[in-house]
Structure formats: C-alpha cells, structure tokens
Amino acid sequence: MNELQEMNTLFDRLFPLLRSITGEGLRETLSILGEYMPLEVESVASGTKVYDWTIPKEWILREAWIKDGMVKTLSMSASVIFTY
C-alpha cells in the first residue's frame, strides 16, 4: 500500500467518528492515531477542577437535525459532517 492509499484508509476510518472534547469518538480517534505514532493518553475525571474550568460530563450524541417547518433539511443520519 502506498502513502496515498494509507492516508485514504486512515481518513476513511477517522471521518465517520463523532468527536468532541470528551467521549468514545475521541478515544477511538486517539486509538487509531496511536497505530501510526506513539501517543500517551491520560484521562481526567468529570467534575475535576482545572484552573478556572471544570471538566464536563461526557455526553453521547444519538441524533441531530435541523428542521425547516416539518422537513428535516440537515440530519446526522445523512452525514456526520452536519454535527460538527
């Protein structure tokens, strides 16, 4: 497999993942990237104070859409890009 094919494969694995500052999508992304480079991942519990900020609770996006009247014009089920 050449470099372009390898990058396309990596993109195809990463693109559909739903990433946020917390959550399974971020952990899966870091796991995949860890296959290509050394990573040291550390976790900090929700509710932990960090300077003037508190680490938020993890949340899971199950569905998202924008409606125009009664019609869903953008939907997460059509493409995850609409959730970014």
Side-chain angles (χ1 to χ4, degrees):
M1 182 181 306
N2 67 37
E3 288 182 359
L4 179 59
Q5 290 170 323
E6 192 169 349
M7 288 301 294
N8 282 332
T9 299
L10 178 59
F11 177 81
D12 290 342
R13 291 176 67 194
L14 292 174
F15 183 76
L17 299 176
L18 297 174
R19 288 175 295 279
S20 178
I21 61 170
T22 66
E24 185 57 36
L26 176 63
R27 286 188 294 274
E28 181 66 18
T29 297
L30 293 174
S31 174
I32 292 169
L33 292 176
E35 296 171 16
Y36 295 86
M37 66 187 85
L39 290 178
E40 185 176 324
V41 178
E42 297 185 25
S43 296
V44 180
S46 295
T48 302
K49 295 264 188 201
V50 178
Y51 301 106
D52 63 345
W53 186 58
T54 302
I55 304 294
K57 291 183 179 180
E58 186 172 304
W59 54 274
I60 300 169
L61 180 65
R62 292 188 175 82
E63 63 180 315
W65 65 87
I66 296 174
K67 279 188 174 183
D68 181 8
M70 297 302 292
V71 178
K72 290 181 182 177
T73 58
L74 298 176
S75 174
M76 179 179 121
S77 62
S79 174
V80 297
I81 197 166
F82 296 125
T83 59
Y84 296 121

